[in-house]
C-alpha cells in the first residue's frame, strides 16, 4: 500500500549509523491522549510583585522603628498616631469597619488569584505526545471557525464567540433557506471544532438570520 493510501502518517526515522541505536517511531497523533490536558496557570507576576513590595516595605519600616526604639530613640510619629488611633477607636467605628472590609476584599481577591488558573484565552489541546503540552488561543480558534462558516453557501458574514465550553456562531444568510444554512453550518463547524484537537470539544450554538433583521 502506498503512503498516500495509508490512514496514518509515515514514521520518520534517521538513517542508522554504525554503533548507533535505531530511532524510536513517532507517536500516533490519532491515539488516545497520554495525559490529562489541564488548563494553563498564569504566573501572576504583577499581583505577586506588588504584594511582595508592599509587605517588604511595611515590614522593613516597622522593623526599623522597633530597632530604633530598642536603641534608645523615640518611636516615629506615625506609629504613635497609629497606636493612639487604634486605642481610641472602637470595633464598631465606621472607619474601622471600612478598613476591615477593604482588607477582607483584598484578601478574597488574592485568594481567588491563588486558586484559579487564569489565562482563560488559552484552550488546552489534546496530548498525544508525552511531555508536550499545547494550547490554542481563543482568537485563533474563532478565526478558523469564522473562515469555515463564510465558506458555506448562502452565508454572507459570521460573528464567532469562543468560550471554554461553548462556541456561538451568528451568521447572516442573504439567500437559501435559513434552516438549510443552519443545518450545513452545524455539520461543517462541528467537524471543524473536532479537527482543532482541543482537549474538550466545546458545544456549538448556531444562529442564522437575514441581514437587517433581529
Amino acid at each position: 500500500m502506498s503512503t498516500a493510501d495509508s490512514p496514518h502518517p509515515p514514521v520518520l526515522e534517521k538513517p542508522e549509523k554504525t554503533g548507533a541505536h535505531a530511532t524510536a517511531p513517532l507517536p500516533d497523533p490519532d491515539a488516545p491522549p497520554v495525559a490529562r490536558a489541564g488548563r494553563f496557570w498564569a504566573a501572576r507576576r504583577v499581583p505577586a510583585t506588588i504584594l511582595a513590595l508592599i509587605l517588604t516595605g511595611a515590614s522593613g519600616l516597622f522593623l526599623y522603628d522597633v530597632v530604633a526604639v530598642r536603641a534608645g530613640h523615640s518611636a516615629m510619629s506615625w506609629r504613635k498616631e497609629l497606636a493612639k488611633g487604634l486605642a481610641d477607636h472602637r470595633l464598631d467605628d465606621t472607619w474601622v469597619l471600612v478598613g476591615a472590609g477593604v482588607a477582607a476584599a483584598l484578601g478574597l481577591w488574592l485568594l481567588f488569584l491563588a486558586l484559579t488558573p487564569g489565562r482563560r484565552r488559552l484552550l488546552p489541546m489534546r496530548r498525544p505526545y508525552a511531555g508536550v503540552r499545547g494550547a490554542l488561543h481563543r482568537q485563533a480558534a474563532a478565526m478558523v471557525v469564522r473562515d469555515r462558516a463564510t465558506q458555506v453557501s448562502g452565508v454572507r458574514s459570521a460573528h464567532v464567540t469562543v468560550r471554554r465550553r461553548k462556541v456561538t456562531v451568528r451568521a447572516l444568510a442573504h439567500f437559501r433557506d435559513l434552516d438549510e444554512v443552519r443545518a450545513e453550518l452545524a455539520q461543517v463547524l462541528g467537524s471543524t471544532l473536532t479537527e482543532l484537537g482541543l482537549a474538550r470539544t466545546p458545544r456549538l450554538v448556531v444562529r442564522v438570520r437575514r441581514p437587517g433583521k433581529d
Side-chain angles (χ1 to χ4, degrees):
M1 183 171 57
S2 64
T3 303
D5 298 331
S6 176
H8 302 295
V11 177
L12 303 179
E13 295 182 352
K14 294 181 180 180
E16 295 186 1
K17 297 181 180 180
T18 305
H21 297 285
T23 304
L26 295 175
D28 184 4
D30 297 327
V34 298
R36 180 177 175 272
R39 292 179 59 186
F40 287 77
W41 283 72
R44 311 289 192 188
R45 293 185 178 91
V46 174
T49 301
I50 295 176
L51 181 61
L53 291 176
I54 293 176
L55 293 179
T56 302
S59 301
L61 193 59
F62 273 103
L63 181 60
Y64 173 80
D65 193 50
V66 170
V67 172
V69 171
R70 293 293 183 179
H73 302 281
S74 61
M76 293 184 179
S77 59
W78 64 268
R79 194 157 73 94
K80 293 179 181 180
E81 294 294 334
L82 178 61
K84 182 180 178 181
L86 293 176
D88 295 340
H89 289 80
R90 298 166 54 102
L91 293 179
D92 58 352
D93 186 80
T94 303
W95 288 108
V96 174
L97 295 177
V98 170
V102 172
L106 180 61
L108 291 176
W109 177 65
L110 294 175
L111 185 62
F112 174 79
L113 294 181
L115 298 179
T116 54
R119 309 193 73 174
R120 299 178 60 86
R121 295 184 179 182
L122 295 181
L123 302 175
M125 303 182 69
R126 295 174 67 252
R127 299 183 61 183
Y129 304 98
V132 178
R133 296 184 63 195
L136 184 64
H137 199 281
R138 287 188 185 183
Q139 186 176 1
M143 291 177 60
V144 174
V145 175
R146 184 175 65 249
D147 290 343
R148 292 289 182 87
T150 54
Q151 293 176 5
V152 173
S153 177
V155 175
R156 178 178 179 180
S157 62
H159 177 77
V160 180
T161 302
V162 177
R163 301 189 183 277
R164 285 181 55 203
R165 299 183 180 181
K166 184 174 68 172
V167 174
T168 304
V169 180
R170 297 178 177 85
L172 296 179
H174 56 293
F175 69 90
R176 293 184 65 188
D177 183 71
L178 294 183
D179 292 335
E180 294 180 0
V181 176
R182 185 180 299 106
E184 186 172 352
L185 278 174
Q187 180 180 2
V188 172
L189 299 184
S191 301
T192 301
L193 293 178
T194 303
E195 294 171 359
L196 292 179
L198 299 177
R200 174 184 293 180
T201 303
R203 181 169 58 93
L204 177 63
V205 177
V206 178
R207 297 186 176 94
V208 184
R209 63 182 179 88
R210 298 295 185 191
K213 295 184 179 180
D214 296 331

